[in-house]
Structures are given as structure tokens and as C-alpha cells.
Amino acid sequence: MDPTCSSESIYNLIPSDWKEPPPPPRYVSVFKAAVKDDKQKFKTAMKTMGPAKLEVPSPKDFLKKHSKEKTLPPKKKFERNEPRKPPVPLRTDHPVMGIQSEKNFINTNAADVIMGVAKKPKPVYVDKRTGDKHDLETSGLVPKYINKKGYGVTPEYIRKRNEEVKKAQEEYDNYIQENLREAAMKRLSDEERVAVLQGLKKNWEEVHKEFQSLSVFIDSIPKKIRKQKLEEEMKQLEHDIGVLEKHKIIYIANKQ
């Protein structure tokens, strides 16, 4: 029985060749035609590469043979009067012999050593028991900088800077004191307070008299404005009179 059959049938008793089912149709997007049309529509000639900007060489200026080889410097004219090297000695020439010095090099060297100044050993320190030596001057163990003449002395530029800062601070303090002195409060004497109070009351009486002389009917805008102005002046004068009567000691600031 063919295993591909789903159920048993009499027609399946005769063997038959199994055929492979055809593959499913290839997927094609429905937007393929629209995309292709848009691509052809907006395509621009030479958009990526662009036109040629370099001048094409002429066929007459072709590359010639040996044109890129290095050229030798120009040949110089040979002159026989140029200085020459000393000639090679002949084989018959003999060197000067028998020249001897009477100096005693042994005694001279011994005298130089005896009369010379002894060389001081280089200061070193050993940090291990195996004898590892290191330079002592560059190790930081020798107090070298504290023995200098200018050690612990304030540098000149720092002293100048401190003096400038101190001078600027003094000028600023003087400026602040001057401003405070100019803006100091002045106490009003009793006579001046009484005189100011009487003047305010007199002004209030004049404004009140003018207010009483207004018409009974306020039927126009100028009359309303004048009435409001007089009321504000009377209110301000009453406030000032109340302050002067309430406080016996009054300070006033100097005008800037």
C-alpha cells in the first residue's frame, strides 16, 4: 500500500510511480508595477557619476618610451688644474727611524697621581642586604632644597599680588564707607516736624475747600476726574498728617 494514500482503496493495489507535487507559485508583490514605474519616472541620467570634468588627453600626447625614467645631471667639463691627493709613497721610500723620547712616562704618571687631588666617591645608598646601590642625590633622602638661600621666602610675584589685593580691598572699603556716609539718615527736629505738620494741614484745608466748592451734580467726565484727583490728594495728606502726629522721632534719607 502506498503510504501517501489517505485511505484504503482498490485502485491503490496497482503500484504507480509517485509524482512530486508542483511547487507553489512564486510570490509577487502587488506593488511591483507601481514601484517600477516610479523608479523609471524619477530616474535621472548621470545623477550619481555626473558628467566628466577632466579634459580628455589628446591622442597625439601619448606616453613615449623612457619618458618617466630619471635623467642624469649634466656632464661637467674635466679640468686638470684641480688639486689632487698626495701621491702614494714609493716602495723605495723608508720612514724616519730612530726618533726616541727621553720622557719617563712611569715617573710622570706616578707624580701626577701623587700630586693630584683625590677623587671624591659618589654618594650612594644601599636598600637591600644584597648590596644594590643607588644614587643618593636623586633619591630625595638628602635635604638639598631646605639649605638653599631662598628657601621659605615668599616669591616676589606673590608679594606684589598680595599688595594689589590689599590695596583693592582698601579702596572697596573706602567706597562702601563713602556710600554709607552719603546715604546716612538725618533726624528731623521737633521744630521742623511741627512746621511740616502745619504745612500739611494747611494744604489739606485748601484742597478740602476746593473740594467743597465743587458742583453738586457731577454730570461730565472732567468733573469726575477732578473730584477723584482731589479725593486722592486729601487721602494722601491725611495719611501724611497721621504719620507725623503718631511718630515723634522721624528720620529722613539724604538725597542721592
Side-chain angles (χ1 to χ4, degrees), residues 46-58:
M46 298 183 298
K47 187 174 182 180
T48 304
M49 301 299 295
K53 297 181 180 180
L54 299 177
E55 186 178 356
V56 181
S58 175

Side-chain angles (χ1 to χ4, degrees), residues 7-34:
S7 61
E8 187 176 357
S9 176
I10 191 172
Y11 296 103
N12 294 332
L13 297 176
I14 302 173
S16 61
D17 297 334
W18 182 78
K19 295 182 180 180
E20 186 177 358
R26 184 179 179 182
Y27 172 77
V28 179
S29 176
V30 295
F31 303 102
K32 181 178 180 180

